Amino acid sequence: MATFHALDWHRAQAGARLPENPLKPLQRLSWHHAATAVLEQFQQQTLVLNESTRLPDAEARIDQTGNRYVCILDAQRNLSGLLLARELHSRHTGALSSALQLPWSQLEVRHVMVPITQLPVVERQQLEHARIGDIAATMQAAGKDFVLVEEEKRLLGFIASLRILELTGESVRLYPRATTFAEVFSALKHPEITDS
């Protein structure tokens, strides 16, 4: 077994100042900057969850990493959806828990994620000529917090409304869009509408 030795040390002096941060403050982008500035590659994602992950486990992992959104994989390890961390305790999750007659702790990520089949997809080539504002307009038109980016029919990454907010300081205002009778009925039953 190795033996360890104490290093030479001394006591700290009172009144020591913290060093100045040598990094420049984050430069804010405008909505006129290139849309590629807010693109996130799938291969760069540090946290992915399985569809079957229960919400308390998902919340713990998200809290540990500090992520605000995560990629969700199906049983075959294919991308199946994206999840905003704020959705874990949203009104939608509460209503879903009630509708399924399951406690919140028994809900799985697949219940609250946004399936990729519901998200708008743009071509990488189109993105090269787009501005951040164009992506925000696309999100508004689709009513979604994410835009997927593909190249030659292969998904490369995505753009999240929270990333736009982080880099520009401006939020993308999304309004729910109902395209089917079921969505209209659901919107009319929404607590924000019926509470008033």
Side-chain angles (χ1 to χ4, degrees), residues 152-182:
E152 298 175 7
K153 303 293 181 195
R154 197 179 108 253
L155 288 177
L156 294 177
F158 64 96
I159 299 172
S161 61
L162 288 175
R163 181 78 171 146
I164 292 174
L165 173 61
E166 175 188 4
L167 295 178
T168 67
E170 296 182 51
S171 64
V172 180
R173 303 215 188 271
L174 298 177
Y175 304 99
R177 295 187 183 276
T179 56
T180 66
F181 179 77

Side-chain angles (χ1 to χ4, degrees), residues 105-124:
S105 61
Q106 296 299 310
L107 290 177
E108 295 177 351
V109 165
R110 67 184 170 88
H111 293 123
V112 295
M113 70 178 191
V114 179
I116 62 169
T117 56
Q118 294 180 8
L119 297 174
V121 180
V122 298
E123 286 288 330
R124 170 70 188 222

Side-chain angles (χ1 to χ4, degrees), residues 11-33:
R11 296 191 189 281
Q13 294 180 359
R17 296 183 58 91
L18 293 175
E20 297 287 327
N21 186 352
L23 299 176
K24 294 179 183 177
L26 180 67
Q27 180 185 2
R28 290 277 179 218
L29 301 179
S30 79
W31 282 28
H32 296 282
H33 279 87

Side-chain angles (χ1 to χ4, degrees), residues 66-88:
N67 289 28
R68 293 176 298 164
Y69 39 85
V70 294
C71 296
I72 309 301
L73 305 179
D74 64 15
Q76 291 76 38
R77 308 278 304 150
N78 295 319
L79 179 70
S80 61
L82 293 165
L83 173 69
L84 287 168
R86 69 181 182 212
E87 289 300 316
L88 294 175

Side-chain angles (χ1 to χ4, degrees), residues 94-146:
L96 190 61
S97 177
S98 178
L100 295 175
Q101 297 183 349
L102 288 172
W104 178 85
S105 61
Q106 296 299 310
L107 290 177
E108 295 177 351
V109 165
R110 67 184 170 88
H111 293 123
V112 295
M113 70 178 191
V114 179
I116 62 169
T117 56
Q118 294 180 8
L119 297 174
V121 180
V122 298
E123 286 288 330
R124 170 70 188 222
Q125 185 178 9
Q126 187 182 16
L127 190 70
E128 295 293 333
H129 305 289
R131 303 284 169 218
I132 294 173
D134 299 325
I135 298 300
T138 304
M139 289 176 172
Q140 289 174 332
K144 300 296 180 187
D145 282 294
F146 298 100

Side-chain angles (χ1 to χ4, degrees), residues 49-61:
L49 299 173
N50 293 321
E51 287 181 343
S52 60
T53 305
R54 294 226 168 121
L55 296 191
D57 297 333
E59 183 176 39
R61 300 227 4 237

